[in-house]
Amino acid sequence: MLKDSLLTLVSALSKNIGRVIVGKEEAIHLALIALICRGHVLIEDVPGVGKTTMVAALARSLSCSFKRIQFTPDVMPSDITGFTMPSLTTGQMEFRPGAVMSQIVLADEINRTSPKTQSSLLEVMEERQVTVDGVTHPLPAPFMVLATQNPVDFVGTYPLPEAQMDRFFLRISMGYPTLEEEMDILERYTGRSVPLTTLQPVCTAEDVLAMQQAVGEVYTAPELRAYVAQLVAATRTHPLLTLGASPRGSIALLRASQGCALLSGRDYVLPEDVKFMAVPVLAHRLVLSPEARMKGQTADGILSSLLSSVPVPVRLK
């Protein structure tokens, strides 16, 4: 895909989502980076700030199939992956697809379901396939999971295991709007129609696949790959972390940097791309030590200090 046509498509997607989501340009930008990098997104914030709405706006902007899974304690793994049952006409066993057999999947309030059900997404998110009764079923392409969770509500929730967190390409926090942004939101919702219902697709599934192909063509210098490796390795030896980022995290950071460069109109990665993507890609993969929690430390803060201490390459080949 030509760079100009790609940027035109991304701009159209961003503007279309912006008709519904006010003042969250960075969150939209990160979601689009995850989309073109074939990544999954965890949107974590308090209720009512537009997590589910942003996912719905993204889905409506794409000519892709979309399913929403409302996670509750009684949701079973078979509801997610599907199941086999005898056909009423032939008597043969037939596969009945679950809710995950879609191109864009919203896992709403993912931490409200049991660990057993959460684990049904592990194969789906990593290998983009579903195995039921020994038979593997490929998922449609493009495929993307966008999950939401409320970090301040602990009643009736189950913390996501590290293996699940590691499969999310990046984490997004929406945040509260400013006074001016909230006034704009109120103005948009005073009419007869809700803005979300008026959105029309501006990008096809073939366009998304072409954008995903273009990301792999972005050049990364050996010095930048070494920088990414050093940054991730530093998380594994930090005294305030009991679990650092995995090799999957370093691959995600490099890939996200390529996506960031591409959306900036470049076919090569700069150290600034790595720095910009480090916190969204790595922070949710880190586990703080009890001492760090007692001191009020955060994964974001520790990563910021590492970004200041790990030497940045000054010459790129």
Side-chain angles (χ1 to χ4, degrees), residues 15 21 44 51 59 97 110 125 128 141 190 210 219 229-230 247 255 272 276 289 295 301:
K15 289 179 180 178
I21 302 298
E44 188 177 76
K51 302 187 297 295
I110 189 173
M125 295 174 66
R128 287 173 164 75
T190 55
Y219 175 72
Q230 292 166 7
R255 191 74 170 177
E272 288 74 14
F276 178 74
S289 66
K295 292 181 177 180

Side-chain angles (χ1 to χ4, degrees), residues 207-279:
D207 292 331
V208 175
L209 292 174
M211 287 190 284
Q212 292 175 346
Q213 184 70 26
V215 172
E217 300 172 3
V218 176
Y219 175 72
T220 56
E223 294 83 357
L224 274 177
R225 296 197 293 271
Y227 177 53
V228 169
Q230 292 166 7
L231 184 61
V232 172
T235 66
R236 300 169 189 162
T237 58
H238 198 284
L240 295 179
L241 296 174
T242 59
L243 182 66
S246 66
R248 184 188 285 123
S250 59
I251 294 171
L253 179 55
L254 186 64
R255 191 74 170 177
S257 302
Q258 290 179 293
C260 184
L262 191 62
L263 295 195
S264 298
R266 286 180 278 106
D267 57 2
Y268 55 91
V269 177
L270 294 176
E272 288 74 14
D273 300 317
V274 178
K275 287 189 170 185
F276 178 74
M277 297 305 305
V279 172

